[in-house]
C-alpha cells in the first residue's frame, strides 16, 4: 500500500541519485583534465599511473549511477500511480510529478 510518506521518500531518492550521477560525471571530467595536464607537463610515471587509477575508478562509478536513477524513477512512478488510483491528492503528488518530469529531461531511461 503506497502512502504519501513513501511517495515523499521516493521523490527525494530520485532527486538524490540524479544529483549523485551529475557529481560523478563532473568528477570524471575533472580527473580527466588533471590526468591530461600531468601528461602534458611530463609528470613522474608513478604519479601519472596513480592518477590514471583514480580516473579509472571514477569512470567505473558512472555506469552504476546510470542504473540507480532508472530504478528510482520506475519506483516513484509506480507509487505515484498507486496513490492517484486511490484518489489521493496534495502537494506531494504535484512535487512527485514535477520530479518525474525533471528527471526524465535530465536522464533518458533505457527502453526495455
Amino acid at each position: 500500500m503506497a502512502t504519501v510518506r513513501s511517495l515523499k521518500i521516493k521523490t527525494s531518492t530520485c532527486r538524490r541519485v540524479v544529483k549523485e550521477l551529475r557529481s560523478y560525471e563532473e568528477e570524471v571530467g575533472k580527473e580527466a583534465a588533471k590526468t591530461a595536464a600531468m601528461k602534458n607537463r611530463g609528470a613522474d610515471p608513478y604519479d601519472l599511473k596513480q592518477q590514471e587509477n583514480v580516473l579509472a575508478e571514477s569512470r567505473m562509478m558512472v555506469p552504476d549511477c546510470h542504473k540507480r536513477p532508472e530504478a528510482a524513477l520506475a519506483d516513484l512512478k509506480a507509487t505515484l500511480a498507486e496513490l492517484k488510483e486511490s484518489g489521493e491528492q496534495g502537494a506531494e503528488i504535484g512535487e512527485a510529478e514535477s520530479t518525474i518530469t525533471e528527471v526524465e529531461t535530465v536522464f533518458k531511461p533505457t527502453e526495455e
Side-chain angles (χ1 to χ4, degrees), residues 1-37:
M1 177 77 190
T3 63
V4 173
R5 182 174 186 271
S6 67
L7 182 69
K8 288 170 84 173
I9 291 169
K10 290 175 185 185
T11 301
S12 296
T13 300
C14 219
R15 286 186 178 148
R16 180 183 47 79
V17 294
V18 168
K19 187 177 178 181
E20 255 179 47
L21 174 63
R22 286 179 179 159
S23 175
Y24 277 118
E25 288 173 340
E26 188 177 300
E27 182 180 333
V28 167
K30 286 179 183 178
E31 294 300 334
K34 187 175 179 180
T35 302

Side-chain angles (χ1 to χ4, degrees), residues 46-57:
Y46 177 78
D47 292 338
L48 184 57
K49 180 69 174 165
Q50 293 302 316
Q51 180 58 34
E52 287 172 345
N53 289 339
V54 169
L55 178 58
E57 286 179 22

